[in-house]
Amino acid sequence: MPVRKVKIFDGFERFWHWTQMALIFTLLFTGLRIHGVHAWLNFDQAVNVHTLAALGLMLLWVFAIFWHLTTGAWRQYLPTLNGLWPVMRYYAWDIFQGKPHPYRKHLTRKHNPLQAMTYAALKLLLFPAIWVSGLTYLFYNYWQQGASSPWLYWVANIHVLSAYAILTFVIIHVYMLTTGSSFSHHVMPMITGYDEVELTEAELAYLEQDEPQRLKR
Amino acid sequence: MAEEAPEAIPTGGVQPGISEYKDIGNPGKVDNPVTKLDKDKQRKFTTDHSKLKELQGPFNSGPEVTKACLGCHNQAGDQFVRNKHWTWSYKHPVTGQQLGKDYLVNNFCTNARGNEGMCAQCHAGYNRTSPDYDLSKQENIDCLVCHDATGKYYKTPPTKGNKACSVMFEGLKPIDWTNVAQHVRLPARSNCGGCHFFGGGGDNVKHGDLSSVLFHPPRDVDVHMSEQGENFACIICHVGEGHEWAGSRYNMIAKDEKEHALPKPGMERETATCESCHGDKPHPLSVKGLKLNDHVDRVACESCHIPAFARGGVATKVDWDWRTAGRLRNGEGYKEEGYQQGNGEWRHTYKSIKGSFKYDENVKPLYRWFNGVMRYTTIDTKFDPNKPVEINYFSGDPGDPDSRIWPFKRMHTIQPYDKGNNTLVYMHLWGNDDAAFWGNYDFAKAIKVGMEKNGIPYSGEYGFIESYSYWPINHMVAPKEKAVACDECHSKQGRLKELKGFYMPGRDAPKWLDMLGLLMIVGSLGGVAGHGLLRILLAWRRKH
């Protein structure tokens, strides 16, 4: 099957990814200030920026969810066991042997099974955890009865714990960029949109016929 | 407990005599109870009192002037004789306690009762010399002390006291009663402040947030009362109707969110709360403003907007030790000046009549949950002498929706008590008899007579006990840009670090949470570092 450079990350997807990255870094930085880890900002500045960045990120997510649903891109995250084991084996063992990655990108399946599973968990568990706890935290005055209620303690701690988990994801996510043939191998597609993808004859014929701009000559 | 404090001559020097209250009064020009918000009020006055034939005099005494006042203001007397300023009596509606100056024991000069000869200098009436004062005699009401506009009116103690005290007010210019009677108006800061700024025996001694600085405060000290700010007189907030004023410290409104918060024009307003003007959502509609408004239900406005009390150069007394009182030099009482306050003046750190003091300025308040109800240790309360006595104490709790975090001044004193009965004592301090402590310096006699005169059982044995009193801080509101910064509370070692029982961001991160977070971060960093290193090493080995 032919392998061709195909645009698989469209404009909105890339905008969404990088804006999200900037906002998550802002949120981590200001959130750790509010939490008392560092003091490079005033508390109120940190709260202001944190609140605005969080509202911005949620707005971005509303658009992203709309985009996922209308383009059908949500299918990219459907978990599958098919091919999961070789990918896990690759990162745990084969990568040290210098063996090639077992997964080839398809036009309709740009994430390997491990990636799809991780992103699905991120989007279905961790992100909801942080924004539900965050909104509950932000609007505590509308539900909290008496300052001595223990609920705020748990809401705040779930929020911080989710943030630590997201930071852990970010660390691993950035490290994974190094597992390609070069650092840019995994970064460039998210900048230019083009990546090497294994196409079926039918897919190639379709692209050449109907969406030639997605094929890099 | 009753150890002797060491004797040393302080920097300020030593003075003979015991004179008190010499420097009372407004040091600047007399202010006007007209605010910047109400520029035209002067034009609204319909009576020029100097033209009234009833006030042409001649008058030779206060009561004569009062009779003339009451001749026209024929409801004022009936109103005023019910006022605390007159009765010195207050029955707390919640606790049922009998309070008021005539009953309470405090941890300054301890008791007014029995010492009226001096203490009633600040009574809004003439010649209150003992507890059996005729409260129905309206001509004894002192209208002028509150309504004088000349700044020339003054009050002296109703009795002269003993020889050492009686020199205190000698040589004062006689009052021109007729002139003062013709120049009256609504009370200004100079009227209220003449007594309230000097409570407890001197400038700012008692409250901490009420000092002579407030006669003409810079904007930084009090944004409402400053002439560069709103130029409020006390009565702008302490609204009066029928000679009763809002804002009692016995029964406070700790949280005003009901009908009194931001009343509509013309609506009745009986509270002296911040909310009664600013509402209960005072901050602007911004991300920060909305967050600050979230605080209003749990944090009193004063907690953020009064960053410190005793500002502007006048110190407040924070510690008083009665044990050292009564020392003499050459058989005479004396005083020492050992504390130089912000405005350069020296304050007494020792007086033979009172003992040793400590002062403080720009004091960060003590913060406590408070629901507005003050309870008192009164003369008949038996207490445990192994613990400090709380002269006043209050309820409040993070779980109580009527409580908020309030700022307080805490006064520490070591004062006499009845060792046999474990109660506080009334001391006979002022008088021209040989039992008055301010003259004969004998605690045993002063306490015995103080108790006897009021018919209170006394074991005959006195000791000294530590006591605390708590003074809610409401004045010296700073401009908003000088409000307490968020980090001052939202941090591990912040202003609220002692307050437990509720969760506060920035302060209350549990250890396990950060340990878990650290474990996740260090674990993932270590994991990827190990993974990466192994890849590099093995790749290097494959090549060689």
mmCIF file of all heavy atoms in Angstrom, chain B residues 145-166:
data_model
loop_
_atom_site.group_PDB
_atom_site.id
_atom_site.type_symbol
_atom_site.label_atom_id
_atom_site.label_comp_id
_atom_site.label_asym_id
_atom_site.label_seq_id
_atom_site.Cartn_x
_atom_site.Cartn_y
_atom_site.Cartn_z
ATOM 1 N N VAL B 145 -22.040 69.365 74.828
ATOM 2 C CA VAL B 145 -20.862 68.535 74.566
ATOM 3 C C VAL B 145 -20.976 67.882 73.192
ATOM 4 O O VAL B 145 -19.976 67.684 72.501
ATOM 5 C CB VAL B 145 -20.626 67.503 75.701
ATOM 6 C CG1 VAL B 145 -21.668 66.393 75.689
ATOM 7 C CG2 VAL B 145 -19.216 66.948 75.636
ATOM 8 N N CYS B 146 -22.189 67.582 72.764
ATOM 9 C CA CYS B 146 -22.393 66.980 71.440
ATOM 10 C C CYS B 146 -22.677 68.022 70.354
ATOM 11 O O CYS B 146 -22.423 67.781 69.184
ATOM 12 C CB CYS B 146 -23.543 65.980 71.472
ATOM 13 S SG CYS B 146 -23.278 64.633 72.636
ATOM 14 N N HIS B 147 -23.250 69.151 70.735
ATOM 15 C CA HIS B 147 -23.719 70.082 69.712
ATOM 16 C C HIS B 147 -22.912 71.368 69.598
ATOM 17 O O HIS B 147 -23.229 72.208 68.760
ATOM 18 C CB HIS B 147 -25.198 70.418 69.959
ATOM 19 C CG HIS B 147 -26.113 69.246 69.727
ATOM 20 N ND1 HIS B 147 -26.507 68.837 68.477
ATOM 21 C CD2 HIS B 147 -26.689 68.363 70.588
ATOM 22 C CE1 HIS B 147 -27.294 67.783 68.572
ATOM 23 N NE2 HIS B 147 -27.423 67.459 69.854
ATOM 24 N N ASP B 148 -21.887 71.529 70.425
ATOM 25 C CA ASP B 148 -21.072 72.746 70.365
ATOM 26 C C ASP B 148 -20.354 72.881 69.026
ATOM 27 O O ASP B 148 -19.767 71.929 68.525
ATOM 28 C CB ASP B 148 -20.016 72.711 71.486
ATOM 29 C CG ASP B 148 -18.891 73.694 71.211
ATOM 30 O OD1 ASP B 148 -19.185 74.890 71.030
ATOM 31 O OD2 ASP B 148 -17.712 73.265 71.181
ATOM 32 N N ALA B 149 -20.399 74.082 68.459
ATOM 33 C CA ALA B 149 -19.714 74.313 67.191
ATOM 34 C C ALA B 149 -18.526 75.256 67.352
ATOM 35 O O ALA B 149 -17.852 75.567 66.378
ATOM 36 C CB ALA B 149 -20.691 74.902 66.174
ATOM 37 N N THR B 150 -18.274 75.733 68.582
ATOM 38 C CA THR B 150 -17.205 76.723 68.751
ATOM 39 C C THR B 150 -15.843 76.095 68.979
ATOM 40 O O THR B 150 -14.822 76.706 68.700
ATOM 41 C CB THR B 150 -17.487 77.631 69.971
ATOM 42 O OG1 THR B 150 -17.419 76.823 71.166
ATOM 43 C CG2 THR B 150 -18.851 78.281 69.872
ATOM 44 N N GLY B 151 -15.833 74.862 69.506
ATOM 45 C CA GLY B 151 -14.563 74.249 69.879
ATOM 46 C C GLY B 151 -14.018 74.803 71.185
ATOM 47 O O GLY B 151 -12.934 74.430 71.622
ATOM 48 N N LYS B 152 -14.765 75.707 71.824
ATOM 49 C CA LYS B 152 -14.295 76.325 73.069
ATOM 50 C C LYS B 152 -14.938 75.670 74.288
ATOM 51 O O LYS B 152 -14.610 75.996 75.424
ATOM 52 C CB LYS B 152 -14.653 77.835 73.069
ATOM 53 C CG LYS B 152 -14.109 78.584 71.867
ATOM 54 C CD LYS B 152 -12.790 79.241 72.187
ATOM 55 C CE LYS B 152 -12.012 79.656 70.955
ATOM 56 N NZ LYS B 152 -12.748 80.536 70.046
ATOM 57 N N TYR B 153 -15.890 74.792 74.028
ATOM 58 C CA TYR B 153 -16.582 74.151 75.141
ATOM 59 C C TYR B 153 -15.753 72.978 75.641
ATOM 60 O O TYR B 153 -15.101 72.278 74.869
ATOM 61 C CB TYR B 153 -17.951 73.656 74.676
ATOM 62 C CG TYR B 153 -18.745 72.996 75.783
ATOM 63 C CD1 TYR B 153 -19.365 73.768 76.754
ATOM 64 C CD2 TYR B 153 -18.850 71.610 75.856
ATOM 65 C CE1 TYR B 153 -20.072 73.176 77.780
ATOM 66 C CE2 TYR B 153 -19.562 71.013 76.873
ATOM 67 C CZ TYR B 153 -20.164 71.795 77.843
ATOM 68 O OH TYR B 153 -20.849 71.201 78.865
ATOM 69 N N TYR B 154 -15.731 72.794 76.928
ATOM 70 C CA TYR B 154 -14.995 71.650 77.493
ATOM 71 C C TYR B 154 -15.702 71.169 78.736
ATOM 72 O O TYR B 154 -16.549 71.856 79.309
ATOM 73 C CB TYR B 154 -13.545 72.037 77.811
ATOM 74 C CG TYR B 154 -13.432 73.140 78.837
ATOM 75 C CD1 TYR B 154 -13.444 72.845 80.208
ATOM 76 C CD2 TYR B 154 -13.310 74.475 78.440
ATOM 77 C CE1 TYR B 154 -13.365 73.861 81.151
ATOM 78 C CE2 TYR B 154 -13.228 75.488 79.368
ATOM 79 C CZ TYR B 154 -13.255 75.176 80.722
ATOM 80 O OH TYR B 154 -13.186 76.155 81.657
ATOM 81 N N LYS B 155 -15.348 69.940 79.128
ATOM 82 C CA LYS B 155 -15.897 69.380 80.369
ATOM 83 C C LYS B 155 -14.746 69.084 81.307
ATOM 84 O O LYS B 155 -13.671 68.659 80.878
ATOM 85 C CB LYS B 155 -16.623 68.063 80.073
ATOM 86 C CG LYS B 155 -18.074 68.229 79.671
ATOM 87 C CD LYS B 155 -18.680 66.900 79.288
ATOM 88 C CE LYS B 155 -19.365 66.238 80.460
ATOM 89 N NZ LYS B 155 -20.694 66.821 80.719
ATOM 90 N N THR B 156 -14.979 69.292 82.555
ATOM 91 C CA THR B 156 -13.997 68.903 83.568
ATOM 92 C C THR B 156 -14.629 67.829 84.433
ATOM 93 O O THR B 156 -15.843 67.663 84.419
ATOM 94 C CB THR B 156 -13.606 70.108 84.441
ATOM 95 O OG1 THR B 156 -14.807 70.717 84.899
ATOM 96 C CG2 THR B 156 -12.792 71.110 83.648
ATOM 97 N N PRO B 157 -13.816 67.077 85.180
ATOM 98 C CA PRO B 157 -14.393 66.046 86.032
ATOM 99 C C PRO B 157 -15.380 66.656 87.025
ATOM 100 O O PRO B 157 -15.178 67.777 87.507
ATOM 101 C CB PRO B 157 -13.188 65.461 86.764
ATOM 102 C CG PRO B 157 -12.036 65.778 85.896
ATOM 103 C CD PRO B 157 -12.358 67.074 85.246
ATOM 104 N N PRO B 158 -16.441 65.916 87.339
ATOM 105 C CA PRO B 158 -17.455 66.444 88.259
ATOM 106 C C PRO B 158 -16.927 66.700 89.667
ATOM 107 O O PRO B 158 -17.479 67.531 90.381
ATOM 108 C CB PRO B 158 -18.525 65.350 88.289
ATOM 109 C CG PRO B 158 -18.277 64.509 87.095
ATOM 110 C CD PRO B 158 -16.836 64.626 86.759
ATOM 111 N N THR B 159 -15.903 65.980 90.094
ATOM 112 C CA THR B 159 -15.299 66.298 91.397
ATOM 113 C C THR B 159 -13.812 66.512 91.200
ATOM 114 O O THR B 159 -13.245 66.098 90.190
ATOM 115 C CB THR B 159 -15.519 65.180 92.438
ATOM 116 O OG1 THR B 159 -14.809 64.007 92.033
ATOM 117 C CG2 THR B 159 -17.005 64.866 92.596
ATOM 118 N N LYS B 160 -13.192 67.128 92.195
ATOM 119 C CA LYS B 160 -11.793 67.524 92.029
ATOM 120 C C LYS B 160 -10.797 66.401 92.266
ATOM 121 O O LYS B 160 -9.652 66.473 91.849
ATOM 122 C CB LYS B 160 -11.482 68.682 92.988
ATOM 123 C CG LYS B 160 -11.926 70.027 92.438
ATOM 124 C CD LYS B 160 -11.309 71.132 93.242
ATOM 125 C CE LYS B 160 -11.189 72.408 92.415
ATOM 126 N NZ LYS B 160 -10.558 73.479 93.189
ATOM 127 N N GLY B 161 -11.227 65.362 92.996
ATOM 128 C CA GLY B 161 -10.268 64.309 93.330
ATOM 129 C C GLY B 161 -9.342 64.767 94.425
ATOM 130 O O GLY B 161 -9.556 65.808 95.055
ATOM 131 N N ASN B 162 -8.300 63.975 94.666
ATOM 132 C CA ASN B 162 -7.387 64.357 95.740
ATOM 133 C C ASN B 162 -6.406 65.432 95.269
ATOM 134 O O ASN B 162 -6.448 65.857 94.122
ATOM 135 C CB ASN B 162 -6.669 63.125 96.284
ATOM 136 C CG ASN B 162 -5.851 62.499 95.197
ATOM 137 O OD1 ASN B 162 -5.087 63.177 94.525
ATOM 138 N ND2 ASN B 162 -6.025 61.208 94.989
ATOM 139 N N LYS B 163 -5.517 65.801 96.166
ATOM 140 C CA LYS B 163 -4.637 66.958 95.919
ATOM 141 C C LYS B 163 -3.825 66.807 94.629
ATOM 142 O O LYS B 163 -3.726 67.738 93.827
ATOM 143 C CB LYS B 163 -3.704 67.121 97.117
ATOM 144 C CG LYS B 163 -3.211 68.536 97.307
ATOM 145 C CD LYS B 163 -2.357 68.659 98.559
ATOM 146 C CE LYS B 163 -0.978 68.093 98.280
ATOM 147 N NZ LYS B 163 -0.198 67.784 99.461
ATOM 148 N N ALA B 164 -3.302 65.615 94.418
ATOM 149 C CA ALA B 164 -2.442 65.422 93.249
ATOM 150 C C ALA B 164 -3.222 65.548 91.941
ATOM 151 O O ALA B 164 -2.683 65.925 90.904
ATOM 152 C CB ALA B 164 -1.774 64.046 93.323
ATOM 153 N N CYS B 165 -4.510 65.203 91.996
ATOM 154 C CA CYS B 165 -5.323 65.225 90.776
ATOM 155 C C CYS B 165 -5.917 66.597 90.499
ATOM 156 O O CYS B 165 -6.134 66.967 89.343
ATOM 157 C CB CYS B 165 -6.467 64.224 90.881
ATOM 158 S SG CYS B 165 -5.925 62.539 91.177
ATOM 159 N N SER B 166 -6.219 67.320 91.557
ATOM 160 C CA SER B 166 -7.032 68.524 91.389
ATOM 161 C C SER B 166 -6.316 69.615 90.606
ATOM 162 O O SER B 166 -6.961 70.536 90.100
ATOM 163 C CB SER B 166 -7.472 69.046 92.757
ATOM 164 O OG SER B 166 -6.331 69.296 93.548
#
